[in-house]
Amino acid sequence: ELVAKITPSRSHGEREALVQAAVVAQGYPAPPVLASGAGPRADGWYFVMPRAAGAPPLSAASAGALARAVPSLALHLPALLADLLVQLHQLDPARPRDALRAHAEWPVDVNDLLADLATAADHLDDTDLAATIRTMLAARPQPGHGDVVCHGDFHPLNIIVNPTGATVVDWT
């Protein structure tokens, strides 16, 4: 089975497909990008990948099933999340970074993202957003900590588990 993801923004979709392909090329458990291109709308993007077998760990069929699963989830979910993040942060960030830098207008690192947010705050005259950006600037990693690949939306609903392992999806 295949999945087609269609994004309304060409830059967001193209960037997501590029990063996903870069981490898969290094052996990270994410679906390989089989094809990608301009979406049905001129400003959109699509990419096609195999459907990840399994389900998110929090996808119990009913509230009762989820309640019964809580003890097991409390024991196993933190370790699964930590293991996937350790694997991700051990990847060489040069491959996705170099590919992202081929598009000058795309954010590549924390500083680029914060600069984009600061521009948005100025454009919107949003003092709360500007204050949040100042807090983020003060707390951002300092040079020398080393670059790592960041998922951008890492949480249990973006992880598909099955008896043989886990797959990370939705690389925003």
Side-chain angles (χ1 to χ4, degrees):
E1 293 180 46
L2 298 176
V3 172
K5 182 167 184 175
I6 301 171
T7 64
S9 163
R10 179 183 178 129
S11 66
H12 289 145
E14 189 174 2
R15 189 171 59 235
E16 181 176 347
L18 183 149
V19 171
Q20 185 170 322
V23 299
V24 168
Q26 295 186 65
Y28 193 74
V33 175
L34 304 175
S36 68
R41 293 181 25 189
D43 57 344
W45 193 260
Y46 78 90
F47 53 104
V48 178
M49 64 202 110
R51 181 185 170 279
L58 300 178
S59 66
S62 67
L66 182 58
R68 287 187 298 277
V70 165
S72 176
L73 287 170
L75 289 174
H76 302 290
L77 188 57
L80 173 65
L81 297 174
D83 181 57
L84 289 167
L85 282 174
V86 166
Q87 288 179 56
L88 180 62
H89 292 171
Q90 288 175 340
L91 298 179
D92 179 2
R95 179 176 259 152
R97 181 182 48 234
D98 293 347
L100 290 169
R101 284 192 174 141
H103 301 270
E105 71 280 6
W106 289 359
V108 174
D109 59 19
V110 171
N111 292 324
D112 292 345
L113 290 170
L114 291 174
D116 285 356
L117 288 172
T119 299
D122 291 343
H123 178 73
L124 297 170
D125 196 28
D126 187 327
T127 56
D128 291 336
L129 181 57
T132 300
I133 292 167
R134 283 193 301 277
T135 300
M136 292 172 71
L137 283 166
R140 76 180 184 271
Q142 297 304 309
H145 281 90
D147 291 342
V148 296
V149 178
C150 180
H151 179 276
D153 193 25
F154 189 85
H155 58 77
L157 294 177
N158 282 338
I159 299 168
I160 308 298
V161 294
N162 64 50
T164 62
T167 303
V168 179
V169 299
D170 199 15
W171 288 83
T172 55

